[in-house]
Amino acid sequence: MQIKNIMSSDIVVVDKDQNLHDALKIMKKNKVSRLPVVNTNNDKVKELVGMVTEKDIAQKLGSSKYGNLPPSHFHLSTVMTTELITTHPEMDLGTAANKMLENYLGGLPVMEDGEMVGIITKSDFIDNCRGKAYENKLVEDFMSTEILSLDPQERIVHARRLMIDSKVSRLLVMEGEDLAGIITAKDIAESLISFRKIVPDKHQAARIRNLLVQDVMTQNVHTISPQSTIAEAAQLMLNKGFSGFPVIDENNHLLGIITKTDLMDLIVEMEGVN
């Protein structure tokens, strides 16, 4: 199967001169976590100039270097990734999935004859995992058992740094051996924007370091059984709009986490990509 069979050709974009708040609102409205960034040239043609993700926004807003600036001062041109990695409509699924994994990307612009004709994201691949080939594969065989976690009392700036260093977009929050919640790059980005709206500029740099994980994390986390199939996990991800689920056994013990990245690894394996 080729990329053109699963890519989205209904592309939601953002202009490079819009700000971070604008981008997050567009992401939330369209239920996406990344946006192609465009510039309108002299011929009034929109050209692809970058990509911006929730993780990019969280990284910028949590930076001490920019601690006193409101989100409205950040144009996307200062945040977006400009070194673009793209794909083309005829690329096969396995090769494209492998390209995303190797470059720690959640999506690729699809280019043809110099123009963007679509976008492919992990969700598009995960939709493919609902097929029969994945109905006899169990979550326990493909979940990640190396779990990155932190305490509810830790600071958001630490969670942000851990995500950056580990190249992940979510962390489990643990109280001892008990799962207390989950925190994502989206949670951090939205909380920092809200924080900057209500805290005077001169106090932001100092107070932002006192924001705690427990103030932002999602509680009552959706979990999945190790005996669930990959097809069921894929369906749950698409239904809930989540990118991963903690894996819990019948005794409520945390065994691991299954994410879209784990499913992408499986797709690469199933497609026979070396």
Side-chain angles (χ1 to χ4, degrees):
M1 185 180 293
Q2 296 179 326
I3 288 302
K4 63 184 178 183
N5 300 121
I6 65 169
M7 72 179 192
S8 173
S9 55
D10 186 14
I11 313 167
V12 180
V13 302
V14 64
D15 190 272
K16 70 178 181 63
D17 292 325
Q18 290 181 265
N19 60 47
L20 300 192
H21 193 205
D22 294 331
L24 277 179
K25 286 196 298 184
I26 294 172
M27 288 179 186
K28 186 173 184 179
K29 178 181 178 181
N30 293 279
K31 298 179 180 180
V32 296
S33 59
R34 72 199 65 254
L35 292 169
V37 183
V38 299
N39 176 55
T40 304
N41 63 24
N42 293 333
D43 296 323
K44 297 184 179 181
V45 175
K46 292 182 178 180
E47 301 173 318
L48 178 67
V49 292
M51 290 285 291
V52 66
T53 69
E54 291 169 343
K55 193 188 298 185
D56 296 329
I57 295 174
Q59 181 174 343
K60 179 66 73 172
L61 290 179
S63 169
S64 58
K65 180 179 179 181
Y66 301 99
N68 293 321
L69 293 176
S72 59
H73 287 199
F74 288 106
H75 287 162
L76 291 173
S77 57
T78 68
V79 179
M80 67 186 187
T81 298
T82 56
E83 296 180 3
L84 293 173
I85 297 174
T86 65
T87 183
H88 56 82
E90 286 75 32
M91 182 176 284
D92 64 87
L93 262 60
T95 302
N98 196 48
K99 178 182 281 196
M100 289 168 63
L101 290 170
E102 287 181 340
N103 292 282
Y104 300 97
L105 297 173
L108 296 172
V110 184
M111 307 294 292
E112 187 172 31
D113 297 327
E115 293 186 12
M116 183 169 57
V117 295
I119 187 168
I120 186 81
T121 68
K122 285 183 179 179
S123 293
D124 298 314
F125 286 93
I126 300 316
D127 186 57
N128 201 52
C129 289
R130 296 186 299 170
K132 287 189 176 182
Y134 298 88
E135 290 178 353
N136 62 348
K137 299 186 180 299
L138 301 181
V139 164
E140 64 182 353
D141 295 323
F142 301 97
M143 67 184 185
S144 301
T145 55
E146 294 184 6
I147 303 169
L148 287 173
S149 66
L150 66 173
D151 187 272
Q153 295 295 320
E154 293 193 64
R155 297 176 299 165
I156 284 181
V157 289
H158 174 63
R160 166 189 165 274
R161 172 48 56 188
L162 186 55
M163 287 183 188
I164 293 170
D165 291 344
S166 304
K167 295 182 172 66
V168 298
S169 298
R170 68 197 44 76
L171 297 166
L172 298 184
V173 185
M174 304 293 295
E175 288 185 308
E177 295 185 356
D178 296 327
L179 179 65
I182 192 168
I183 185 168
T184 67
K186 179 180 180 180
D187 296 328
I188 293 176
E190 290 184 343
S191 68
L192 291 178
I193 280 186
S194 297
F195 171 84
R196 289 167 184 263
K197 283 182 178 179
I198 62 176
V199 176
D201 291 352
K202 64 180 181 179
H203 298 304
Q204 287 183 1
R207 292 187 185 177
I208 202 168
R209 302 189 66 81
N210 295 322
L211 286 174
L212 301 180
V213 168
Q214 66 181 8
D215 300 325
V216 177
M217 70 182 190
T218 298
Q219 302 181 48
N220 302 318
V221 182
H222 290 278
T223 62
I224 194 168
S225 164
Q227 295 301 310
S228 296
T229 69
I230 291 297
E232 291 170 338
Q235 185 67 65
L236 193 60
M237 288 177 185
L238 294 171
N239 287 348
K240 298 294 184 181
F242 297 153
S243 295
F245 297 98
V247 184
I248 304 291
D249 67 13
E250 64 274 11
N251 297 315
N252 212 34
H253 292 150
L254 178 65
L255 302 178
I257 184 170
I258 187 80
T259 68
K260 287 181 178 179
T261 298
D262 297 316
L263 271 59
M264 294 280 284
D265 279 325
L266 177 56
I267 290 171
V268 170
E269 179 185 322
M270 296 279 284
E271 294 291 324
V273 177
N274 296 322

